[in-house]
Amino acid sequence: MTRTTKIALGAGLLGLLASLVVALTGTSGGAQAEAQTPTRHFVANLQGATAPFALGYNLADKSSVSSLSALPTGVQAVFWLGQKCPSPADSTFKAKVDALASNPKVFAYYLSDEPHIGDCPGGPAALRSRADYIRAASGGRQKSFIVLSKVADYQPFAPPNSHVDLVGLDPYPCSVANPQCDLGKIGEKVSAARAAGVPLAAIVPVYQAFGQERATSHYYNLPTATQEHAILTEWKRLVPSPVMDYTYGWGNQGSANPTLVDSSALQKVFATFFATGS
């Protein structure tokens, strides 16, 4: 066997092995590595609780530097630097980011919760300045995050315009109007966001884990365990490997009561889903 024949044979075997890997995994090496990056699990309104960490949550909402050191090993913060109508990055904002940019406990910054372009026409440009500053200050390690509720806001606040890394979508399917939970709302919002320029990799599923049965105004219903599992399964079908997901929420609020803290059955659904993916 000549040297040329040996080289050709070796290359052929390597190609065959690579093809076999792709056939078995359904992905190339780079995509496979990305798929193996575990999704982070964010829960809001902890109100000092630590029980969610035992369920698999490893991102917590924080708004003070002093609270970061209390986070257990393996848990990071989604740090609140948010505004309903974002303003451009000023010296105060930059100083806060500078102080946190090298802190390993900060995974992302929550920059705005449900901004509306009609009320805040300068919001996308303002977010762009904030997201760009975070990216530069942290060397791209820390993420910028917003949540959008209205389809009309998807295009103006999409990453190509706002430069944010992650966009939460919060279609809450369980309500008085939809007591069986309308899972179609999830697909509608995901399709609208992608059509508006939000990349699939930037979408953060927002899971409904609250109702308003004990609130002054009752529209949303706390999902049952079966309904919650269906919500998680539908989100996984549409957004199979998000960078993070977001559960709203843990503790009671005036507009959200009962919540996840009140249901051990829902807690079990989330713990199982985070551990097994089903």
Side-chain angles (χ1 to χ4, degrees), residues 18-45:
S19 298
L20 182 60
V21 169
V22 171
L24 292 174
T25 64
T27 182
S28 65
Q32 184 182 18
E34 182 178 348
Q36 290 174 345
T37 301
T39 296
R40 306 300 302 271
H41 306 300
F42 173 44
V43 62
N45 304 322

Side-chain angles (χ1 to χ4, degrees), residues 72-106:
T73 300
V75 177
Q76 293 177 289
V78 176
F79 200 90
W80 175 257
L81 288 180
Q83 298 170 309
K84 185 70 172 180
C85 182
S87 59
D90 58 12
S91 59
T92 300
F93 174 85
K94 292 177 180 179
K96 290 179 179 178
V97 172
D98 288 344
L100 294 168
S102 61
N103 192 319
K105 284 294 186 180
V106 177

Side-chain angles (χ1 to χ4, degrees), residues 5 41 48 82 116 124 135 163 184 186 237 258 260 265 275:
T5 303
H41 306 300
H116 303 309
R135 193 170 292 111
H163 289 192
I186 300 172
R237 183 181 73 83
L260 188 56

Side-chain angles (χ1 to χ4, degrees), residues 71-271:
L71 290 173
T73 300
V75 177
Q76 293 177 289
V78 176
F79 200 90
W80 175 257
L81 288 180
Q83 298 170 309
K84 185 70 172 180
C85 182
S87 59
D90 58 12
S91 59
T92 300
F93 174 85
K94 292 177 180 179
K96 290 179 179 178
V97 172
D98 288 344
L100 294 168
S102 61
N103 192 319
K105 284 294 186 180
V106 177
F107 176 78
Y109 299 89
Y110 200 150
L111 297 183
S112 190
D113 187 64
E114 300 183 345
H116 303 309
I117 192 62
D119 303 325
C120 189
L127 281 173
R128 188 159 59 245
S129 71
R130 290 182 166 229
D132 287 348
Y133 191 82
I134 289 167
R135 193 170 292 111
S138 70
R141 184 181 64 82
Q142 296 171 331
K143 308 299 182 183
S144 51
F145 170 59
I146 62 172
V147 172
L148 299 175
S149 60
K150 294 183 178 181
V151 171
D153 299 317
Y154 288 0
Q155 191 276 333
F157 288 101
N161 298 317
S162 65
H163 289 192
V164 296
D165 296 302
L166 301 170
V167 177
L169 306 179
D170 60 1
Y172 298 134
C174 305
S175 65
V176 173
N178 296 288
Q180 301 305 313
C181 303
D182 183 2
L183 299 185
K185 290 180 177 290
I186 300 172
E188 290 170 4
K189 291 295 183 72
V190 171
S191 294
R194 296 189 68 180
V198 181
L200 182 64
I203 293 177
V204 172
V206 181
Y207 304 140
Q208 181 182 356
F210 77 98
Q212 296 176 320
E213 289 89 340
R214 299 200 301 249
T216 302
S217 177
H218 177 198
Y219 178 74
Y220 291 110
N221 291 335
L222 182 71
T224 65
T226 299
Q227 290 169 341
E228 194 69 70
H229 183 263
I231 290 170
L232 299 178
T233 300
E234 180 66 359
W235 267 114
K236 183 177 181 180
R237 183 181 73 83
L238 295 166
V239 187
S241 301
V243 173
M244 74 180 206
D245 52 41
Y246 176 15
T247 303
Y248 188 83
W250 179 259
N252 296 159
Q253 293 180 295
S255 60
N257 190 349
T259 53
L260 188 56
V261 70
D262 300 301
S263 175
S264 59
L266 289 190
Q267 292 174 33
K268 183 177 180 180
V269 169
F270 279 100

